[in-house]
Amino acid sequence: MNSRINELLEKYNAVLEISDEIENDGFCIETPDINVIIVRSGLDNNYIEQVILHELGHVANDNDIIGKYKDYIPRSQMEYKANFYMIEHTLDTWCNTNDIDLKDVNCTTFLSANNLSLNYIPIVETIIKNKVGVLLG
């Protein structure tokens, strides 16, 4: 696991548990004292990082959304923000690792290289637009 993941776990006061007793790829238990991210054992290392980042996205954003996870609209918003968080961090790492400037990213190439669905193209485009706009702004 890369050091950036460890830094984010520390930032959000989260611990990571690997379990072979869960069916989902991962989930998060948030408490006032600590956040526990549980990831299913046996997953590919790159995918484990994506699952961790997705769950950290819940920790970072779910409290900003009104409603409960069990309700369709709030759950959709929570999942979108968690995916956005995961993709943003994966994109940053991918660009740094491959020495690619964000404005030169091909969304399809990035998503394919990271085994992510092409359905995420609008999120990648939004991230690039927001960040390049800030950098050029």
Side-chain angles (χ1 to χ4, degrees):
M1 190 168 355
N2 71 45
S3 61
R4 201 152 164 242
I5 297 284
N6 289 326
E7 290 170 11
L8 291 169
L9 288 167
E10 187 175 320
K11 175 182 177 179
Y12 291 106
N13 193 32
V15 295
L16 175 64
E17 300 287 336
I18 306 294
S19 173
D20 57 0
E21 303 198 11
I22 63 171
E23 292 181 20
N24 294 0
D25 290 341
F27 63 93
C28 181
I29 301 170
E30 296 179 56
T31 71
D33 298 326
I34 196 161
N35 298 300
V36 180
I37 295 174
I38 302 170
V39 176
R40 184 165 49 90
S41 63
L43 301 176
D44 172 81
N45 283 342
N46 288 333
Y47 186 62
I48 286 174
E49 289 188 10
Q50 291 171 1
V51 171
I52 294 167
L53 288 169
H54 175 90
E55 297 307 327
L56 285 170
H58 282 294
V59 173
N61 295 299
D62 282 2
N63 289 334
D64 297 337
I65 296 170
I66 297 170
K68 297 182 180 174
Y69 188 79
K70 67 178 182 160
D71 297 328
Y72 178 76
I73 291 176
R75 180 181 184 151
S76 296
Q77 293 170 330
M78 290 174 189
E79 289 301 325
Y80 176 84
K81 286 188 172 232
N83 285 332
F84 193 101
Y85 184 94
M86 177 270 295
I87 292 167
E88 184 170 37
H89 284 277
T90 303
L91 180 60
D92 287 344
T93 299
W94 187 75
C95 284
N96 289 335
T97 301
N98 294 291
D99 196 30
I100 297 172
D101 192 299
L102 195 57
K103 69 181 182 324
D104 297 327
V105 168
N106 177 294
C107 298
T108 303
T109 302
F110 160 70
L111 292 169
S112 296
N114 288 280
N115 296 314
L116 292 165
S117 170
L118 296 181
N119 292 332
Y120 292 134
I121 286 175
I123 292 176
V124 177
E125 290 174 338
T126 299
I127 292 166
I128 292 169
K129 180 182 174 190
N130 290 346
K131 288 188 172 203
V132 170
V134 169
L135 295 174
L136 299 176

